mmCIF file of all heavy atoms in Angstrom:
data_model
loop_
_atom_site.group_PDB
_atom_site.id
_atom_site.type_symbol
_atom_site.label_atom_id
_atom_site.label_comp_id
_atom_site.label_asym_id
_atom_site.label_seq_id
_atom_site.Cartn_x
_atom_site.Cartn_y
_atom_site.Cartn_z
ATOM 1 N N THR P 1 120.566 126.189 85.769
ATOM 2 C CA THR P 1 119.251 125.736 85.647
ATOM 3 C C THR P 1 119.076 124.346 86.179
ATOM 4 O O THR P 1 119.837 123.470 85.847
ATOM 5 C CB THR P 1 118.745 125.795 84.217
ATOM 6 O OG1 THR P 1 118.807 127.137 83.712
ATOM 7 C CG2 THR P 1 117.295 125.353 84.097
ATOM 8 N N ARG P 2 118.139 124.166 87.096
ATOM 9 C CA ARG P 2 117.894 122.861 87.743
ATOM 10 C C ARG P 2 116.415 122.548 87.559
ATOM 11 O O ARG P 2 115.566 123.427 87.606
ATOM 12 C CB ARG P 2 118.270 122.923 89.191
ATOM 13 C CG ARG P 2 119.651 123.382 89.569
ATOM 14 C CD ARG P 2 120.736 122.424 89.038
ATOM 15 N NE ARG P 2 120.745 121.140 89.612
ATOM 16 C CZ ARG P 2 121.499 120.730 90.658
ATOM 17 N NH1 ARG P 2 122.368 121.576 91.176
ATOM 18 N NH2 ARG P 2 121.374 119.548 91.178
ATOM 19 N N GLU P 3 116.094 121.254 87.422
ATOM 20 C CA GLU P 3 114.765 120.819 87.299
ATOM 21 C C GLU P 3 114.480 119.634 88.212
ATOM 22 O O GLU P 3 115.391 118.859 88.516
ATOM 23 C CB GLU P 3 114.472 120.366 85.832
ATOM 24 C CG GLU P 3 114.523 121.521 84.815
ATOM 25 C CD GLU P 3 114.233 121.114 83.423
ATOM 26 O OE1 GLU P 3 114.048 119.895 83.178
ATOM 27 O OE2 GLU P 3 114.231 121.972 82.539
ATOM 28 N N ALA P 4 113.226 119.551 88.725
ATOM 29 C CA ALA P 4 112.846 118.448 89.534
ATOM 30 C C ALA P 4 111.351 118.340 89.546
ATOM 31 O O ALA P 4 110.606 119.219 89.181
ATOM 32 C CB ALA P 4 113.320 118.729 90.997
ATOM 33 N N LEU P 5 110.854 117.181 89.981
ATOM 34 C CA LEU P 5 109.455 116.972 90.172
ATOM 35 C C LEU P 5 109.289 116.998 91.714
ATOM 36 O O LEU P 5 109.979 116.286 92.388
ATOM 37 C CB LEU P 5 109.001 115.645 89.622
ATOM 38 C CG LEU P 5 108.919 115.576 88.144
ATOM 39 C CD1 LEU P 5 108.448 114.140 87.649
ATOM 40 C CD2 LEU P 5 107.831 116.557 87.595
ATOM 41 N N VAL P 6 108.435 117.931 92.200
ATOM 42 C CA VAL P 6 108.230 118.033 93.702
ATOM 43 C C VAL P 6 106.818 118.055 94.056
ATOM 44 O O VAL P 6 105.926 118.396 93.306
ATOM 45 C CB VAL P 6 108.937 119.398 94.143
ATOM 46 C CG1 VAL P 6 110.438 119.379 93.811
ATOM 47 C CG2 VAL P 6 108.270 120.542 93.543
ATOM 48 N N ASP P 7 106.648 117.520 95.252
ATOM 49 C CA ASP P 7 105.326 117.637 95.882
ATOM 50 C C ASP P 7 104.995 119.094 96.178
ATOM 51 O O ASP P 7 105.903 119.846 96.548
ATOM 52 C CB ASP P 7 105.405 116.809 97.232
ATOM 53 C CG ASP P 7 104.042 116.778 97.888
ATOM 54 O OD1 ASP P 7 103.633 117.804 98.537
ATOM 55 O OD2 ASP P 7 103.376 115.709 97.821
ATOM 56 N N ALA P 8 103.775 119.461 95.936
ATOM 57 C CA ALA P 8 103.406 120.865 96.120
ATOM 58 C C ALA P 8 103.690 121.434 97.467
ATOM 59 O O ALA P 8 103.863 122.623 97.658
ATOM 60 C CB ALA P 8 101.914 121.004 95.811
ATOM 61 N N GLY P 9 103.665 120.627 98.496
ATOM 62 C CA GLY P 9 103.893 121.042 99.887
ATOM 63 C C GLY P 9 105.309 120.934 100.344
ATOM 64 O O GLY P 9 105.561 121.365 101.511
ATOM 65 N N ARG P 10 106.271 120.635 99.535
ATOM 66 C CA ARG P 10 107.702 120.596 99.960
ATOM 67 C C ARG P 10 108.337 121.953 100.026
ATOM 68 O O ARG P 10 108.112 122.848 99.171
ATOM 69 C CB ARG P 10 108.556 119.729 98.972
ATOM 70 C CG ARG P 10 108.294 118.237 99.301
ATOM 71 C CD ARG P 10 109.220 117.339 98.584
ATOM 72 N NE ARG P 10 110.609 117.358 99.155
ATOM 73 C CZ ARG P 10 111.635 117.060 98.390
ATOM 74 N NH1 ARG P 10 111.507 116.752 97.129
ATOM 75 N NH2 ARG P 10 112.816 117.049 98.953
ATOM 76 N N SER P 11 109.127 122.050 101.042
ATOM 77 C CA SER P 11 109.876 123.390 101.267
ATOM 78 C C SER P 11 111.074 123.415 100.314
ATOM 79 O O SER P 11 111.590 122.416 99.847
ATOM 80 C CB SER P 11 110.312 123.438 102.704
ATOM 81 O OG SER P 11 111.320 122.582 102.969
ATOM 82 N N LEU P 12 111.432 124.664 100.042
ATOM 83 C CA LEU P 12 112.625 124.930 99.202
ATOM 84 C C LEU P 12 113.935 124.376 99.850
ATOM 85 O O LEU P 12 114.736 123.779 99.191
ATOM 86 C CB LEU P 12 112.744 126.435 98.980
ATOM 87 C CG LEU P 12 113.929 126.871 98.153
ATOM 88 C CD1 LEU P 12 113.912 126.188 96.726
ATOM 89 C CD2 LEU P 12 113.967 128.453 98.041
ATOM 90 N N VAL P 13 113.961 124.473 101.180
ATOM 91 C CA VAL P 13 115.131 123.944 101.817
ATOM 92 C C VAL P 13 115.343 122.417 101.675
ATOM 93 O O VAL P 13 116.359 121.899 101.439
ATOM 94 C CB VAL P 13 115.239 124.329 103.380
ATOM 95 C CG1 VAL P 13 114.250 123.537 104.169
ATOM 96 C CG2 VAL P 13 116.646 124.132 103.871
ATOM 97 N N ASP P 14 114.162 121.696 101.629
ATOM 98 C CA ASP P 14 114.236 120.313 101.471
ATOM 99 C C ASP P 14 114.673 119.946 100.028
ATOM 100 O O ASP P 14 115.436 118.980 99.790
ATOM 101 C CB ASP P 14 112.925 119.573 101.754
ATOM 102 C CG ASP P 14 112.640 119.579 103.312
ATOM 103 O OD1 ASP P 14 113.601 119.626 104.058
ATOM 104 O OD2 ASP P 14 111.433 119.543 103.645
ATOM 105 N N VAL P 15 114.143 120.610 99.044
ATOM 106 C CA VAL P 15 114.540 120.451 97.656
ATOM 107 C C VAL P 15 116.039 120.755 97.471
ATOM 108 O O VAL P 15 116.739 119.989 96.805
ATOM 109 C CB VAL P 15 113.608 121.161 96.649
ATOM 110 C CG1 VAL P 15 114.219 121.122 95.239
ATOM 111 C CG2 VAL P 15 112.227 120.712 96.693
ATOM 112 N N LEU P 16 116.440 121.874 98.015
ATOM 113 C CA LEU P 16 117.892 122.236 97.855
ATOM 114 C C LEU P 16 118.833 121.192 98.481
ATOM 115 O O LEU P 16 119.743 120.723 97.861
ATOM 116 C CB LEU P 16 118.154 123.577 98.554
ATOM 117 C CG LEU P 16 117.582 124.803 97.880
ATOM 118 C CD1 LEU P 16 117.718 126.008 98.712
ATOM 119 C CD2 LEU P 16 118.172 125.037 96.469
ATOM 120 N N ARG P 17 118.503 120.722 99.654
ATOM 121 C CA ARG P 17 119.334 119.816 100.406
ATOM 122 C C ARG P 17 119.200 118.353 99.875
ATOM 123 O O ARG P 17 120.233 117.661 99.503
ATOM 124 C CB ARG P 17 119.092 119.848 101.853
ATOM 125 C CG ARG P 17 119.506 121.107 102.607
ATOM 126 C CD ARG P 17 119.242 121.127 104.027
ATOM 127 N NE ARG P 17 119.809 119.955 104.751
ATOM 128 C CZ ARG P 17 121.037 119.934 105.188
ATOM 129 N NH1 ARG P 17 121.897 120.984 105.002
ATOM 130 N NH2 ARG P 17 121.550 118.842 105.789
ATOM 131 N N ASP P 18 117.991 117.918 99.834
ATOM 132 C CA ASP P 18 117.739 116.488 99.459
ATOM 133 C C ASP P 18 117.799 116.107 97.960
ATOM 134 O O ASP P 18 118.298 115.070 97.643
ATOM 135 C CB ASP P 18 116.378 116.012 100.038
ATOM 136 C CG ASP P 18 116.317 116.191 101.564
ATOM 137 O OD1 ASP P 18 117.393 116.257 102.168
ATOM 138 O OD2 ASP P 18 115.149 116.221 102.109
ATOM 139 N N ASP P 19 117.251 117.019 97.166
ATOM 140 C CA ASP P 19 117.155 116.770 95.728
ATOM 141 C C ASP P 19 118.401 117.273 94.963
ATOM 142 O O ASP P 19 118.844 116.635 94.042
ATOM 143 C CB ASP P 19 115.863 117.327 95.115
ATOM 144 C CG ASP P 19 114.679 116.744 95.682
ATOM 145 O OD1 ASP P 19 114.699 115.886 96.567
ATOM 146 O OD2 ASP P 19 113.551 117.225 95.238
ATOM 147 N N LEU P 20 118.907 118.425 95.409
ATOM 148 C CA LEU P 20 120.022 119.072 94.632
ATOM 149 C C LEU P 20 121.360 118.907 95.365
ATOM 150 O O LEU P 20 122.401 119.318 94.827
ATOM 151 C CB LEU P 20 119.646 120.503 94.406
ATOM 152 C CG LEU P 20 118.331 120.865 93.730
ATOM 153 C CD1 LEU P 20 118.162 122.267 93.460
ATOM 154 C CD2 LEU P 20 118.247 120.084 92.355
ATOM 155 N N GLY P 21 121.349 118.364 96.549
ATOM 156 C CA GLY P 21 122.594 118.150 97.262
ATOM 157 C C GLY P 21 123.341 119.280 97.774
ATOM 158 O O GLY P 21 124.523 119.283 98.052
ATOM 159 N N LEU P 22 122.609 120.419 97.965
ATOM 160 C CA LEU P 22 123.267 121.672 98.339
ATOM 161 C C LEU P 22 123.032 121.845 99.905
ATOM 162 O O LEU P 22 122.060 122.443 100.369
ATOM 163 C CB LEU P 22 122.691 122.847 97.655
ATOM 164 C CG LEU P 22 122.911 122.861 96.142
ATOM 165 C CD1 LEU P 22 122.195 123.900 95.419
ATOM 166 C CD2 LEU P 22 124.398 123.014 95.797
ATOM 167 N N THR P 23 123.852 121.156 100.641
ATOM 168 C CA THR P 23 123.760 121.021 102.083
ATOM 169 C C THR P 23 124.237 122.221 102.886
ATOM 170 O O THR P 23 124.312 122.206 104.130
ATOM 171 C CB THR P 23 124.330 119.731 102.613
ATOM 172 O OG1 THR P 23 125.701 119.677 102.235
ATOM 173 C CG2 THR P 23 123.596 118.576 102.038
ATOM 174 N N GLY P 24 124.834 123.227 102.195
ATOM 175 C CA GLY P 24 125.300 124.389 102.916
ATOM 176 C C GLY P 24 124.118 125.183 103.596
ATOM 177 O O GLY P 24 124.337 125.811 104.586
ATOM 178 N N THR P 25 123.003 125.081 103.013
ATOM 179 C CA THR P 25 121.729 125.624 103.675
ATOM 180 C C THR P 25 121.325 124.670 104.715
ATOM 181 O O THR P 25 121.053 123.558 104.482
ATOM 182 C CB THR P 25 120.644 125.760 102.575
ATOM 183 O OG1 THR P 25 121.138 126.536 101.452
ATOM 184 C CG2 THR P 25 119.398 126.423 103.184
ATOM 185 N N LYS P 26 121.265 125.264 105.918
ATOM 186 C CA LYS P 26 120.999 124.393 107.133
ATOM 187 C C LYS P 26 119.592 124.385 107.426
ATOM 188 O O LYS P 26 118.787 125.211 106.995
ATOM 189 C CB LYS P 26 121.832 124.872 108.377
ATOM 190 C CG LYS P 26 123.289 125.037 108.074
ATOM 191 C CD LYS P 26 123.880 123.709 107.700
ATOM 192 C CE LYS P 26 125.370 123.782 107.456
ATOM 193 N NZ LYS P 26 125.925 122.778 106.570
ATOM 194 N N VAL P 27 119.206 123.362 108.228
ATOM 195 C CA VAL P 27 117.787 123.249 108.704
ATOM 196 C C VAL P 27 117.820 123.190 110.273
ATOM 197 O O VAL P 27 118.643 122.389 110.800
ATOM 198 C CB VAL P 27 117.136 121.983 108.154
ATOM 199 C CG1 VAL P 27 115.702 121.824 108.670
ATOM 200 C CG2 VAL P 27 117.120 122.004 106.624
ATOM 201 N N ASN P 28 117.035 123.940 110.891
ATOM 202 C CA ASN P 28 117.010 123.950 112.395
ATOM 203 C C ASN P 28 115.516 123.920 112.825
ATOM 204 O O ASN P 28 114.924 122.906 113.155
ATOM 205 C CB ASN P 28 117.821 124.979 112.925
ATOM 206 C CG ASN P 28 117.949 124.862 114.408
ATOM 207 O OD1 ASN P 28 118.112 123.737 114.975
ATOM 208 N ND2 ASN P 28 117.910 126.020 115.182
ATOM 209 N N CYS P 29 114.978 125.116 112.914
ATOM 210 C CA CYS P 29 113.635 125.281 113.567
ATOM 211 C C CYS P 29 112.455 124.913 112.664
ATOM 212 O O CYS P 29 111.393 124.591 113.205
ATOM 213 C CB CYS P 29 113.490 126.683 114.123
ATOM 214 S SG CYS P 29 113.268 128.010 112.834
ATOM 215 N N ARG P 30 112.560 125.070 111.453
ATOM 216 C CA ARG P 30 111.502 124.886 110.480
ATOM 217 C C ARG P 30 110.275 125.782 110.740
ATOM 218 O O ARG P 30 109.163 125.553 110.305
ATOM 219 C CB ARG P 30 111.078 123.430 110.349
ATOM 220 C CG ARG P 30 112.076 122.521 109.722
ATOM 221 C CD ARG P 30 111.499 121.171 109.256
ATOM 222 N NE ARG P 30 112.481 120.336 108.759
ATOM 223 C CZ ARG P 30 112.748 120.374 107.366
ATOM 224 N NH1 ARG P 30 112.063 121.139 106.603
ATOM 225 N NH2 ARG P 30 113.667 119.507 106.894
ATOM 226 N N LEU P 31 110.583 126.940 111.453
ATOM 227 C CA LEU P 31 109.541 127.846 111.772
ATOM 228 C C LEU P 31 109.890 129.324 111.255
ATOM 229 O O LEU P 31 109.145 130.231 111.527
ATOM 230 C CB LEU P 31 109.303 127.915 113.265
ATOM 231 C CG LEU P 31 108.856 126.647 113.978
ATOM 232 C CD1 LEU P 31 108.863 126.753 115.464
ATOM 233 C CD2 LEU P 31 107.456 126.291 113.495
ATOM 234 N N GLY P 32 110.989 129.429 110.644
ATOM 235 C CA GLY P 32 111.476 130.758 110.154
ATOM 236 C C GLY P 32 111.953 131.649 111.234
ATOM 237 O O GLY P 32 111.950 132.863 111.068
ATOM 238 N N GLU P 33 112.310 131.107 112.338
ATOM 239 C CA GLU P 33 112.710 131.892 113.419
ATOM 240 C C GLU P 33 114.290 131.986 113.669
ATOM 241 O O GLU P 33 114.739 132.887 114.271
ATOM 242 C CB GLU P 33 112.112 131.394 114.763
ATOM 243 C CG GLU P 33 110.668 131.557 114.832
ATOM 244 C CD GLU P 33 109.990 130.992 116.058
ATOM 245 O OE1 GLU P 33 110.704 130.487 116.946
ATOM 246 O OE2 GLU P 33 108.759 131.020 116.111
ATOM 247 N N CYS P 34 115.021 131.064 113.108
ATOM 248 C CA CYS P 34 116.454 131.038 113.395
ATOM 249 C C CYS P 34 117.278 131.540 112.238
ATOM 250 O O CYS P 34 118.420 131.981 112.438
ATOM 251 C CB CYS P 34 116.908 129.585 113.780
ATOM 252 S SG CYS P 34 116.878 128.435 112.442
ATOM 253 N N GLY P 35 116.860 131.449 110.970
ATOM 254 C CA GLY P 35 117.594 131.995 109.905
ATOM 255 C C GLY P 35 118.696 131.031 109.304
ATOM 256 O O GLY P 35 119.343 131.379 108.383
#
């Protein structure tokens, strides 16, 4: 169980990487095209 305060417009990938430190999830296109 994890808790955070987040801006309503933040993406799940940003919370996982930036807030929870789980950097295995990568970021590339930010358009849902690359996976």
Side-chain angles (χ1 to χ4, degrees):
T1 301
R2 305 295 296 262
E3 295 180 356
L5 287 175
V6 299
D7 183 284
R10 280 190 74 210
S11 68
L12 180 57
V13 73
D14 288 336
V15 170
L16 290 171
R17 290 180 57 82
D18 300 339
D19 298 358
L20 304 181
L22 298 170
T23 58
T25 303
K26 305 302 181 204
V27 179
N28 188 40
C29 72
R30 292 197 178 270
L31 299 170
E33 294 180 0
C34 70

